[in-house]
Amino acid sequence: MSIAQSATAAPSFRIPAVNRPAAIAGSIAVAVAANLVVWLLGLAAGGSFEVTKAGQVTEVGAGTVILSSALPLFVGLTVAALLSYKWVGVLRVAQIAGAVLAVATIGLTVAADFDTATTVSLSVMHLVLAPVIVGGLAALRNGLLER
């Protein structure tokens, strides 16, 4: 390859291939870590992370962030991984459905009685899940197709 060709070649980004457990565990770890950072930034921005519903004040703490990030991912990615034993194409469907659901559920956060900083932070946490879902399932799919 000449110098002129190397200067014009576009760099490519390739998601590494991993096995099913690694894709699930890695995606959960990334989502939880990222969402905890977003939560801490929300606290620093003055978010109370408290909501009042039916006279009860409920706080969204670190434990809630961890559980709310990990549980849906664990269930969704595990179901997709198990179904991929029979049909690898389910991973593409799950990428789309997972990302759409992560973004669509922002409406639940906006409808709740949170302050602005908390609403923005919790909405960003939903947005964090979309690329994590797509990336984790892409890595899983790459691992299955390289066999």
Side-chain angles (χ1 to χ4, degrees):
M1 177 170 7
S2 71
I3 294 173
Q5 288 175 331
S6 65
T8 60
S12 64
F13 176 74
R14 187 176 183 299
I15 296 174
V18 295
N19 62 23
R20 288 174 178 90
I24 295 168
S27 297
I28 291 170
V30 168
V32 166
N35 280 342
L36 283 173
V37 168
V38 172
W39 176 72
L40 288 170
L41 291 172
L43 285 175
S48 68
F49 288 89
E50 293 179 346
V51 63
T52 305
K53 187 173 182 180
Q56 294 273 36
V57 176
T58 306
E59 182 179 351
V60 177
T64 305
V65 171
I66 292 168
L67 187 64
S68 297
S69 300
L71 187 61
L73 275 180
F74 177 76
V75 171
L77 295 178
T78 300
V79 168
L82 291 173
L83 290 173
S84 72
Y85 280 103
K86 294 288 183 186
W87 177 43
V88 175
V90 74
L91 298 175
R92 288 281 194 214
V93 174
Q95 283 179 305
I96 295 165
V100 167
L101 284 172
V103 174
T105 53
I106 291 174
L108 300 172
T109 300
V110 172
D113 185 29
F114 288 112
D115 59 76
T116 303
T118 301
T119 300
V120 170
S121 298
L122 293 174
S123 297
V124 169
M125 288 180 202
H126 285 258
L127 293 176
V128 163
L129 294 179
V132 170
I133 291 166
V134 171
L137 290 171
L140 194 159
R141 185 174 183 277
N142 289 344
L144 296 179
L145 295 179
E146 287 184 0
R147 292 183 181 178

